[in-house]
Amino acid sequence: MAAVRTTKGRKHITESEQIVVENPITRQPIGAVPAMSADDVAAAVERARRAQPAWEALGVKARGRLIMRFADLLWAEQKTAVRTIRAETGKTEFGAWVEVAVLEQTCTYYRHNAPRLLRPQTRRSLAPLKHRARVYYKPYGVVGFITPWNYPLLNGFQDLIPALIAGNTVVLKPSEITPFTALYAARLMHRAGIPRDVIQVVTGDGRTGAALVEYVDYIAFTGSTATGRKIAARAGERLIPCSLELGGKDPMIILRDVDLDLAASGTLVGALENAGQVCVGTERIYVEDAIYDQYIEKLKYYADQLVIGAAAGDHVHVGSLTNERELLRAEAFIADAVAKGAQVIFGGRRRPDLGPLFFEPTILVNVDHTMQVMREETFGPLIPIMRVKDAEEAIRLANDSDYGLSGSIFTRDLKRGEQLATRIHSGDVTINTTKWVFGSPSLPMGGVKHSGLGRRNGPEGLLRFVRPQSVLVNWPILDKPQFTLNHWLLIPMHVLTRRIRWHIPLLRM
Ligand code: NAD
């Protein structure tokens, strides 16, 4: 008998190595998946390795066409996708649909841009008239993905689309809490004509994930900072590249010239999307003293209008938490803050009448940086607000964090907002809105400090999955024997063109 941890908190005992997955709203099992062993993972990677040369040989345009066929199927079957995501996360219908919509756009972006971005580039060598040099972009081989549960479709597939289009084959280990969305999307890819061994899903918990790191040529991880550290350490020992999309503690700065309605409603959207279980969720708010009281009034006004519940439909703003751990953490952070002098001015309680993992959106004031709620990632519907003297103090506090994923500034002065944005230590900053970088396929997104390494999306999100190879061709004139080249050609040319070389296009590349 093997004891298998489940997903939303309870323990299940099963005969074989199975992981039972629960619906967080009903707490009923929705199915089980095998906890795959290291041998299973090794076999999957071996199949992916054998399939890779043919996939690469297909060419970037043909791969792009298959990816678009997958996007078309996903779009046509979006209701099934939304149902699958909701069954294992408990998120709102709109929240699940956003995953589908962003993934569809990601496919379109890379289908149209990858051929240009992966085309061999002509570059300048040290002796440009003597050499022709080109950089080729080659796939790594087999890329492993390890992903979390909060965006079960997007967090895996948004990143593996560029890996596939670059010519890699992929083995994905989704979270044990939400494996069915990944299994569903991989089946859609197979139906779209992508060979079965080109995209495979291995199910299991952290042990299966750790096994994957042992066999692949590149590991792309999205999840907590604690797990990311372990993966980076092992990738370092194996000398394979890795990218890490980790946790965040995103600040929001509200300046005195702000449109208060925009700022108050924007705060709720930033903090409460997916019930706060978002890596780029707004987790701490700094408000200039001059407008603090009006802002709090507006925030309470809009918070009163929020609809929380399990019902389908766009009128629901806040769904269930997915994971019991997050509910317990939210309660612990509130208790810690209150013990240190904070006040709860809105919400603060569980809502068992709606479902076992529902928690009220909670506004906390009189908080400071001695409290966990201002320093550690919350991943729940908490909105801690701190009064600050001015923008300088807000920037200083925003940067007083181990994390640096995203951030936002609300102001009517867009130019000043943009200048202040560049002083925030994070992978992205949005002005008068939140999270739109995460959903924009052409914008690089990722973290600094403990929020990660590498970037997803945009050219950067594609080029991380290829290794550049420089090929230099020497024209065999004037250099027989070769060692005379330096004296006859290279040194005089170098001296002659020293001042002018960057003004001559042929010599500049
Ligand atoms: P987690 O680190 O607990 O688990 C993530 C994945 O890693 C799961 O698939 C898990 O099975 C696997 N895993 C666990 N231990 C492992 C090990 N030793 N070796 C290999 N794999 C292992 O994170 P979580 O609770 O699933 O996700 C929440 C976290 O993810 C939050 O911190 C959130 O901020 C972060 N996140 C970041 C981004 C981003 O883009 N930066 C996006 C979504 C979520």
Side-chain angles (χ1 to χ4, degrees):
M1 297 256 281
V4 179
R5 267 184 299 114
T6 72
T7 64
K8 278 88 186 174
R10 278 192 304 178
K11 287 199 186 278
H12 285 240
I13 308 293
T14 60
E15 288 297 327
S16 59
E17 285 275 329
Q18 295 279 308
I19 294 178
V20 179
V21 179
E22 283 178 354
N23 178 319
I25 291 174
T26 62
R27 289 309 276 269
Q28 293 303 309
I30 56 174
V33 292
M36 289 189 177
S37 67
D39 287 346
D40 297 330
V41 173
V45 174
E46 186 48 38
R47 287 193 297 274
R49 202 173 291 295
R50 281 202 299 269
Q52 194 274 331
W55 180 243
E56 184 180 349
L58 209 55
V60 60
K61 287 192 177 148
R63 290 194 295 270
R65 278 195 293 276
L66 290 172
I67 297 284
M68 271 320 286
R69 221 183 278 164
F70 159 71
D72 291 342
L73 273 178
L74 181 68
W75 196 247
E77 295 194 5
Q78 53 182 273
K79 286 206 168 106
T80 313
V82 165
R83 228 183 4 256
T84 310
I85 295 168
R86 292 192 77 214
E88 54 186 9
T89 61
K91 66 171 67 181
T92 62
E93 197 165 53
F94 178 71
W97 179 83
V98 166
E99 294 202 46
V100 174
V102 174
L103 181 57
E104 194 269 341
Q105 285 231 15
T106 304
C107 295
T108 313
Y109 172 80
Y110 282 117
R111 189 259 164 104
H112 289 292
N113 288 288
R116 176 179 56 83
L117 292 166
L118 296 175
R119 198 175 294 146
Q121 279 189 20
T122 303
R123 301 269 184 100
R124 177 191 192 275
S125 84
L126 190 61
L129 298 177
K130 189 80 184 67
H131 300 151
R132 190 190 72 211
R134 265 205 268 270
V135 179
Y136 290 82
Y137 295 104
K138 314 273 288 284
Y140 278 102
V142 183
V143 179
F145 285 84
I146 301 176
T147 56
W149 45 265
N150 60 335
Y151 284 78
L153 181 66
L154 204 52
N155 269 329
F157 287 76
Q158 184 181 28
D159 292 343
L160 67 78
I161 295 295
L164 285 176
I165 217 160
N168 300 284
T169 51
V170 162
V171 180
L172 164 66
K173 206 299 281 175
S175 169
E176 58 274 33
I177 297 172
T178 55
F180 285 114
T181 304
L183 289 165
Y184 164 74
R187 275 200 305 276
L188 269 193
M189 286 195 149
H190 299 151
R191 274 175 53 201
I194 298 174
R196 298 188 76 80
D197 291 345
V198 167
I199 161 79
Q200 298 174 75
V201 175
V202 290
T203 51
D205 58 16
R207 289 166 300 178
T208 311
L212 187 60
V213 185
E214 296 301 319
Y215 300 110
V216 290
D217 304 313
Y218 182 112
I219 190 80
F221 174 76
T222 304
S224 64
T225 299
T227 310
R229 258 186 230 287
K230 290 184 201 160
I231 286 173
R234 187 62 194 130
E237 279 165 7
R238 286 199 57 223
L239 278 182
I240 58 163
C242 68
S243 48
L244 307 169
E245 303 283 352
L246 308 179
K249 189 75 195 165
D250 295 351
M252 176 182 282
I253 295 176
I254 314 257
L255 298 180
R256 67 181 71 196
D257 67 344
V258 78
D259 173 337
L260 281 170
D261 289 284
L262 186 71
S265 55
T267 304
L268 297 177
V269 173
L272 300 178
E273 157 120 21
N274 203 22
Q277 303 165 117
V278 188
C279 54
V280 288
T282 301
E283 293 217 352
R284 38 195 184 114
I285 295 133
Y286 303 99
V287 186
E288 268 196 275
D289 188 32
I291 43 113
Y292 181 87
D293 294 332
Q294 299 104 290
Y295 165 79
I296 294 286
E297 282 316 304
K298 280 279 183 204
L299 191 63
K300 285 200 288 194
Y301 167 77
Y302 283 109
D304 262 333
Q305 299 173 35
L306 289 170
V307 178
I308 316 170
D314 291 349
H315 66 289
V316 180
H317 303 115
V318 186
S320 172
L321 291 168
T322 302
N323 194 347
E324 189 172 38
R325 191 183 66 189
E326 310 310 330
L327 188 139
L328 297 173
R329 182 158 40 182
E331 287 180 331
F333 282 11
I334 293 172
D336 172 73
V338 168
K340 290 173 179 160
Q343 281 167 278
V344 175
I345 59 164
F346 191 92
R349 290 170 307 135
R350 294 183 186 211
R351 289 294 301 270
D353 52 317
L354 300 172
L357 300 183
F358 277 88
F359 197 84
E360 287 176 338
T362 300
I363 303 175
L364 289 141
V365 295
N366 291 339
V367 294
D368 62 42
H369 278 212
T370 64
M371 301 170 186
Q372 285 174 307
V373 75
M374 294 299 273
R375 301 209 73 88
E376 295 172 32
E377 187 175 41
T378 313
F379 240 51
L382 304 194
I383 309 175
I385 303 168
M386 196 165 163
R387 190 194 287 262
V388 293
K389 189 162 69 42
D390 54 20
E392 287 306 313
E393 187 182 10
I395 295 279
R396 183 179 60 72
L397 288 166
N399 287 335
D400 177 27
S401 173
D402 289 339
Y403 293 103
L405 196 53
S406 181
S408 56
I409 298 176
F410 278 72
T411 173
R412 281 201 169 94
D413 185 343
L414 304 184
K415 193 163 171 225
R416 179 167 179 247
E418 210 166 323
Q419 280 162 357
L420 291 173
T422 61
R423 292 175 55 200
I424 295 184
H425 304 156
S426 66
D428 71 77
V429 181
T430 49
I431 313 288
N432 292 332
T433 187
T434 53
K435 292 195 292 285
W436 279 88
V437 170
F438 180 47
S440 301
S442 68
L443 294 177
M445 181 254 162
V448 302
K449 299 191 269 186
H450 294 183
S451 290
L453 294 175
R455 293 291 179 267
R456 64 153 59 101
N457 288 345
E460 296 81 357
L462 174 72
L463 295 177
R464 68 176 158 152
F465 293 122
V466 287
R467 40 192 175 83
Q469 183 186 36
S470 298
V471 175
L472 183 148
V473 179
N474 178 40
W475 284 309
I477 46 170
L478 290 179
D479 55 350
K480 288 179 188 159
Q482 276 245 341
F483 57 77
T484 58
L485 172 71
N486 283 355
H487 305 93
W488 287 83
L489 190 70
L490 194 58
I491 294 173
M493 219 182 80
H494 197 81
V495 172
L496 276 175
T497 64
R498 202 168 72 86
R499 295 243 172 251
I500 57 165
R501 82 177 67 110
W502 296 108
H503 303 292
I504 304 171
L506 189 66
L507 302 186
R508 202 188 292 148
M509 282 182 297

